[in-house]
Amino acid sequence: MKSNIIKQFLFLLLLPSKLWAAIHPIDVVGKYFVDSITKERFYIKGVDYQPGGSSEELSKSDPLSDPEKCARDIVLFQELGINTIRIYSINPDLDHDKCMTMLAAAGIYLLLDVNSPVQGQHLNRYEPWSTYTMSYVQHIFKVVEKFSYYNNTLGFFAGNEVVNDMKSAQFSPKYIKVIIGDLKKYIEKHSPRSIPVGYSAADDLNYRASLASYLECAEEKGDTYNSVDFYGVNSYQWCGTQTMESSGYDKLIRTYSSYTKPIIFSEFGCNQVLPRQFDEVKALFSKPMTPTFSGGLVYEFTQESNNYGLVSLDSEGNAHILGDFEKLKNTYKEIPPLRSKEMSKFIVADETLNVTSKQAFFNKHQLPICKNRYDNLNIEGTAIRSVASPIIFKGNHGLRGYYVTLEDKDLQCEYEIYDINGKARSKESKRIKVVNDLKSEKQETIVRSSGVEAASLENSSPKRNFGSQILRLGMLCMLIFFSMMFLT
Ligand SMILES: *[C@@H]1O[C@H](CO)[C@@H](O)[C@H](O)[C@H]1NC(C)=O
Ligand SMILES: *[C@@H]1O[C@H](CO)[C@@H](O)[C@H](O)[C@H]1NC(C)=O
């Protein structure tokens, strides 16, 4: 009897603490992305990720719904050395908890487009009034509701290349601004933290400066709702061997240098000259660009018909690494660790990166007030009424995401990964590395009935939290000591 009780005690102490991926949320401070905890500037080193391409059916699966495929790709993301992926469309009704936890544990953030190619889930750029409906805003709020609860959601894109020709520039700019406002109001009222809302633009010289300025401006002093929190440019102008001048990057910098919000390449990586050398990656992280640009996302992770892939997936789901993967990996490796304060100082020599003092400078009153006209855009006519107010008021009761406990097997990729010579990877080189400190949640009060379950949990949990392990060990020794006394 006595020993039974003791066993029970020992058993409770042996329970592993529940492990969560603790990843720091990223904030926007003025024109920078900033780690909300360390206050260091954050640069996006990423890839665009939409296996199957944009036409892929979303009803049963999306890029974050299959943990085994996520494991395969996260292993490769880590090898590439990236910290962010962008996903163009997801289905908010599917379960993304495991993949998002795995990404967080691996130190990877997500930029997510709220729209999808599914009918009713995106704006018709030529007739936006016909598609800006209650059910449309329901969809985008569901995406927000789901993903706001993950700390590694870095931001949402309200639109991607909605303005892409003269006709769309006639009709859609005002709608984009209204949707940005809807999203920001919804986040303010219903999300656990403030998540940046941006826009991803086609880099067309007709709208390069004007659309960026229009989406940045405040309609009234102090009203920041309809202004983007960050701006993405899809840029394919650096092809093959170029310089800042021959590529026209110098002009891009000039256009955006006075922008008050972070600017990124939401897509880049011209493939007109093959194999790609990714010299533009070095340019993007060099001293002329880092004061204005906060990094970017290479288009794209998987090989699709347009031939931009780094990795090709076969019908069994096995991955074949392509030459561009190796090249990009080696190029990203040459970029020094940008999150360190020293590095930030080095590349932005004229900035102290004291975010606290910068915050006062880049407050909301610094936003430019909207002008009456912007080149090549039609912003005239009556204001558009938001259809979203009732839902913003009530909330949308969509599913909320949350981090789940990972087991050891979740970190192991079971698909084959073949290197460029066709050689299959060893099992050990197909494991996700847990890079984030894992926050433990006290579980000592929870009594479990099955010892088997506890044992399997104990074996499977990656142990990073040495503090609590030592504490538990200490308590265990004490308990053994006392029980010995008690028994004798
Ligand atoms: C999210 O980040 C905040 C701030 O670091 C932290 O307090 C919170 O516990 C985190 N949530 C999860 C689920 O990790
Ligand atoms: C940053 O600036 C603020 C306000 O000017 C100041 O109080 C703070 O000490 C500075 N922090 C650092 C780390 O220099």
Side-chain angles (χ1 to χ4, degrees), residues 242-458:
Q242 300 285 343
T243 63
M244 286 307 239
E245 292 73 30
S246 69
S247 64
Y249 270 25
D250 58 340
K251 295 195 185 68
L252 262 179
I253 298 170
R254 232 171 293 144
T255 303
Y256 292 123
S257 62
S258 57
Y259 210 64
T260 58
K261 298 290 169 188
I263 303 257
I264 60 168
F265 281 155
S266 34
E267 290 175 6
F268 74 107
C270 170
N271 69 350
Q272 278 170 25
V273 181
L274 291 170
R276 295 194 279 182
Q277 297 303 315
F278 294 113
D279 288 342
E280 71 270 45
V281 170
K282 287 179 223 162
L284 181 57
F285 292 98
S286 70
K287 210 168 156 182
M289 286 191 87
T290 49
T292 305
F293 282 81
S294 295
L297 303 129
V298 168
Y299 191 82
E300 66 177 321
F301 184 72
T302 50
Q303 180 71 322
E304 311 296 342
S305 55
N306 53 6
N307 200 30
Y308 281 92
L310 306 174
V311 170
S312 148
L313 300 177
D314 65 27
S315 55
E316 272 133 51
N318 297 321
H320 303 257
I321 288 174
L322 303 176
D324 283 8
F325 180 97
E326 291 298 326
K327 193 72 211 174
L328 181 62
K329 176 176 89 178
N330 292 330
T331 308
Y332 270 149
K333 253 189 210 145
E334 285 175 42
I335 312 296
L338 295 167
R339 278 181 84 167
S340 75
K341 285 207 172 80
E342 291 69 25
M343 194 57 217
S344 301
K345 267 186 201 136
F346 171 68
I347 53 182
V348 196
D350 58 340
E351 288 168 339
T352 55
L353 286 175
N354 180 338
V355 171
T356 319
S357 59
K358 284 231 159 56
Q359 203 137 22
F361 179 73
F362 290 118
N363 60 27
K364 57 176 143 186
H365 304 296
Q366 299 285 327
L367 270 187
I369 300 295
C370 294
K371 297 185 290 190
N372 291 329
R373 61 175 300 278
Y374 287 87
D375 290 349
N376 305 318
L377 301 178
N378 177 14
I379 58 158
E380 280 154 29
T382 49
I384 296 153
R385 240 190 85 232
S386 166
V387 301
S389 314
I391 316 176
I392 292 171
F393 183 71
K394 288 196 310 234
N396 90 343
H397 313 296
L399 298 169
R400 289 177 181 179
Y402 57 90
Y403 291 142
V404 292
T405 308
L406 293 179
E407 290 175 32
D408 192 60
K409 66 173 171 56
D410 296 325
L411 304 173
Q412 182 68 47
C413 162
E414 296 296 349
Y415 287 102
E416 293 295 351
I417 298 178
Y418 298 98
D419 68 19
I420 45 176
N421 305 315
K423 194 169 162 280
R425 288 280 179 83
S426 67
K427 196 165 179 220
E428 302 76 66
S429 62
K430 292 191 296 178
R431 269 188 74 80
I432 296 173
K433 293 179 202 68
V434 176
V435 299
N436 273 303
D437 289 344
L438 295 172
K439 190 179 82 178
S440 63
E441 193 191 55
K442 278 212 183 82
Q443 265 202 333
E444 270 74 10
T445 49
I446 301 171
V447 181
R448 302 244 182 175
S449 52
S450 149
V452 179
E453 188 189 341
S456 74
L457 270 169
E458 173 70 13

